[in-house]
Amino acid sequence: MAEVKLIATTDSLFCARIEWALKLKGVEYEFIEVDIRNKSPLLLKYNPVHKKVPVLVHHGKPIAESLVILEYIEETWKNNPLLPEDPYERSMARFWAQFAGDKCLWGAWEAAKLAEGEGKVKAIESTQESLAFLEKQIEGKKYFGGEQIGFLDLAVGGIPHSLSAMEEAGGVKLLDAERFPSLHKWAQNFIEVPVIKECIPPREQLLNYFNTSISYIRSLSVAKP
Amino acid sequence: MADEVILLDFWPSMFGMRVKIALAEKGIEYEYKEENLWNKSTQLLQMNPVHQLIPVLIHNGKPVCESLVMVEYIDEVWKDKSPLLPTDPHQRAHARFWTDFVDKKVFDVSKRIWSTKIEENESTKKELIETFKILEGKLRDKPYFGGETFGFVDLALITFYSRFYSAEMFGNFSIEAEFPEINAWAKRCMQKDTVAKSIPDQKKVYEFLVQMRKQLGLD
C-alpha cells in the first residue's frame, strides 16, 4: 500500500499543484482518480467537510485544501524547499498565493461566466487590475520563487492555462500578452518545465468543462422571468 | 535595534481582533492606529495598495496583510513564546484547514447577514447553523479546537464572538442557545486576558452595525 496517496482528478489545477510539489521533492505517490460529480466513497471518507479534490493521504491521514497540502508537503519533505526561509518573504508568498486564487482565478471565472453586459465589463476590468498586480511581482524574475520554482509558482502555475480555456469558453480576453508581457513569458516557461508539463490538465478537458458550466449558468439567467 | 511594530486596524473588524490576540499572546509591544475606513490614511493606502483594507501589520517598515498570513508571520518571527500553531506538520495542516473553513463558512457567509435585508437572511442562517453544527462536532470533549491549549483555530474563530449578539438580532438565531458547546468554548477563551482585551463589547458592535445598515438603506 502506498504511503502517500493523492485523491484527485486530471482536469484540476488544484490537483496539478500537488503533483508538481510531490514530483519536485521526489516523493513517490499513488494517484487515485475519483469522479467528483458522483461523490465517490473515497472522497466522502477523506474529505467529508468539502467533498472536493485534491486530498493527500499520508500514513492514512488525510489533508485537504490545496494550499494547506502544499504547506504540509513543504514541512514534511524538507529537500528542494518551496518557501523561502525568511518569515517576511514567506508571508509575501502566502499573501500572493491567496490573492492569485481569489482575485485572478475566481475573478476571471466571474468575467467568463457572465453574459454580455455591464457586469461582465466590470468583472473583466477588476480581473485585469488584479493581473496587473501579479505582473509586477514577476517582472524581472525567472520564477516567482527566484531562480527556482517555488510555492507561489505552484499556486499561480495553473492559472494562465485555465484562464486561456476560460477566455475561449466565456468570450473574454483577460491575460493578453501586450498588457502582461512578464506574466505571459513566465507562464510559457513554466509550462515547458518537464515536471510541470506532465501534470498540466489537458486544455481540451478544461475547455469542455468551462463550456458546459457557462452554458448552464447562462441558461439559468435567461430562464428567470 | 528594537522592533517597530504598528497595527492599522478598525475596532469592529474581526480580522483585526485576530492580530491583536496574536500580538498579546506573544507579549509584543506595538503602536495601534485606528483607521477611518471612509477616509483611509495615506499610510494604509501605501502599505496595502492591493486591497486597501485593514488590518495591516507593519514590522520595521514592512507591511504584512491578510489576518491569517499575519498571525503565521507573528508566530514565525516571535517563535520563542506562546506558539500559536502546533509543531507537528499534520496538526499544522489540520489547523490551517479549519481556519480556512472558518474564513469561508463563518466569516464570508455571516457578512451577508449584516449587509442584506432581514427578509433575505433565511438561507444564510441555515448555512451558518450547518457550519456551527460541524464546528461543534470538532470541539467534542476538548476544551479548545487546538486540544488542551488555545491555538490557531481558536484564535481565528473566537473573534466572531463579538458578533454573537448581532447574529441573534439580525439573523434571529442564538448561537449561545443552539450551540451550548460552542458557547462554553467561547466563554473559556474569553477568560484569557489576551482574548478578552482584544474583543469589543457585543452590544457596541451591534450598535455599530445598526448604524451601517441605516447608512446602506437596509433598515
Side-chain angles (χ1 to χ4, degrees):
Chain A
M1 189 162 63
E3 189 182 277
V4 180
K5 296 192 238 210
L6 178 63
I7 299 168
T9 59
T10 53
D11 62 356
S12 158
L13 70 89
F14 303 104
C15 298
R17 284 172 176 173
I18 310 307
E19 288 204 86
W20 292 333
L22 291 170
K23 285 183 190 290
L24 285 168
K25 296 223 181 222
V27 178
E28 301 254 335
Y29 62 98
E30 183 189 351
F31 185 97
I32 301 176
E33 191 166 358
V34 290
D35 181 355
I36 55 169
R37 277 155 270 269
N38 290 321
K39 301 296 178 206
S40 93
L42 261 184
L43 211 50
L44 298 174
K45 177 182 173 185
Y46 286 125
N47 192 1
V49 174
H50 297 306
K51 306 176 185 65
K52 287 182 183 171
V53 289
V55 184
L56 189 79
V57 183
H58 186 209
H59 296 310
K61 294 196 232 173
I63 300 129
E65 291 303 303
S66 62
L67 295 181
V68 175
I69 300 172
L70 285 184
E71 298 250 19
Y72 175 82
I73 291 171
E74 174 71 350
E75 288 170 3
T76 306
W77 293 279
K78 298 190 196 288
N79 60 311
N80 292 352
L82 300 169
L83 277 164
E85 274 190 36
D86 172 66
Y88 187 76
E89 296 304 320
R90 291 159 77 86
S91 75
M92 288 294 102
R94 288 170 177 143
F95 172 85
W96 288 110
Q98 253 181 53
F99 175 83
D102 292 345
K103 298 289 185 184
C104 300
L105 183 64
W106 295 118
W109 179 236
E110 276 301 308
K113 76 184 187 191
L114 291 171
E116 294 302 324
E118 203 186 311
K120 193 175 181 78
V121 170
K122 279 203 174 121
I124 293 170
E125 266 171 33
S126 162
T127 306
Q128 289 192 317
E129 274 168 23
S130 299
L131 288 168
F133 278 115
L134 218 51
E135 169 82 3
K136 277 211 189 101
Q137 289 302 305
I138 194 65
E139 250 165 31
K141 283 156 79 167
K142 185 177 180 187
Y143 297 113
F144 286 100
E147 287 303 307
Q148 305 290 334
I149 289 176
F151 181 85
L152 187 52
D153 297 279
L154 301 189
V156 184
I159 293 178
H161 183 69
S162 294
L163 251 57
S164 155
M166 261 188 226
E167 286 170 349
E168 188 177 327
V172 284
K173 193 68 197 143
L174 295 163
L175 186 53
D176 69 84
E178 261 186 52
R179 192 168 158 187
F180 308 108
S182 303
L183 262 181
H184 238 266
K185 187 173 172 203
W186 162 82
Q188 281 172 337
N189 285 341
F190 182 77
I191 223 159
E192 289 305 318
V193 173
V195 146
I196 303 298
K197 202 170 188 169
E198 319 172 2
C199 315
I200 200 97
R203 193 174 185 278
E204 278 312 302
Q205 258 184 285
L206 288 177
L207 190 56
N208 202 34
Y209 172 75
F210 292 139
N211 272 328
T212 313
S213 305
I214 289 173
S215 296
Y216 175 69
I217 289 166
R218 290 186 188 177
S219 73
L220 289 178
S221 38
V222 165
K224 273 192 197 138
Chain B
M1 189 179 82
D3 275 318
E4 184 200 57
V5 181
I6 300 172
L7 177 64
L8 305 182
D9 191 18
F10 179 52
W11 71 270
S13 163
M14 295 184 283
F15 301 100
M17 289 171 214
R18 288 170 167 175
V19 186
K20 287 200 283 199
I21 295 173
L23 290 167
E25 283 283 307
K26 301 280 185 179
I28 298 162
E29 290 201 9
Y30 65 98
E31 184 188 350
Y32 179 89
K33 288 189 179 176
E34 183 75 22
E35 282 284 334
N36 175 356
L37 298 186
W38 293 269
N39 187 17
K40 293 175 185 177
S41 72
T42 315
Q43 189 177 35
L44 174 57
L45 299 175
Q46 281 174 349
M47 292 285 129
N48 190 358
V50 175
H51 298 300
Q52 301 181 4
L53 291 174
I54 52 88
V56 181
L57 186 78
I58 309 171
H59 183 205
N60 295 332
K62 295 204 270 189
V64 184
C65 307
E66 293 303 302
S67 63
L68 296 179
V69 174
M70 290 156 77
V71 172
E72 287 218 40
Y73 174 79
I74 289 166
D75 204 36
E76 287 178 8
V77 172
W78 289 276
K79 57 181 183 282
D80 298 326
K81 186 183 172 184
S82 303
L84 300 168
L85 274 102
T87 44
D88 170 69
H90 191 262
Q91 287 178 13
R92 289 165 73 85
H94 196 252
R96 286 179 178 129
F97 174 87
W98 286 102
T99 53
D100 174 72
F101 178 86
V102 167
D103 264 2
K104 288 180 177 131
K105 299 288 190 181
V106 178
F107 284 37
D108 277 356
V109 172
S110 65
K111 212 161 55 173
R112 281 182 245 147
I113 291 193
W114 337 123
S115 58
T116 52
K117 290 191 184 302
I118 297 225
E119 313 82 81
E120 291 163 34
N121 278 341
E122 268 316 297
S123 64
T124 309
K125 189 170 114 184
K126 280 196 183 112
E127 265 187 81
L128 270 182
I129 286 174
E130 282 312 306
T131 294
F132 274 98
K133 276 189 190 148
I134 293 172
L135 285 169
E136 205 160 60
K138 286 314 290 178
L139 198 50
R140 199 157 290 141
D141 299 334
K142 291 187 298 191
Y144 299 102
F145 286 96
E148 293 304 311
T149 51
F150 181 86
F152 194 46
V153 182
D154 304 282
L155 184 155
L157 181 61
I158 190 56
T159 65
F160 189 72
Y161 181 73
S162 64
R163 305 266 170 136
F164 275 20
Y165 183 71
S166 305
E168 194 173 307
M169 299 303 284
F170 297 128
N172 195 29
F173 81 113
S174 167
I175 297 162
E176 294 190 17
E178 297 200 31
F179 301 103
E181 287 195 44
I182 294 278
N183 190 44
W185 160 82
K187 298 263 188 270
R188 196 175 296 128
C189 292
M190 288 296 287
Q191 278 171 7
K192 282 172 70 65
D193 186 51
T194 54
V195 174
K197 70 182 188 184
S198 306
I199 294 184
D201 176 67
Q202 291 186 10
K203 298 218 167 123
K204 193 176 166 198
V205 172
Y206 171 66
E207 278 156 24
F208 163 76
L209 289 171
V210 164
Q211 278 307 305
M212 286 282 300
R213 288 174 63 84
K214 274 198 186 115
Q215 280 176 24
L216 292 167
L218 291 169
D219 290 326

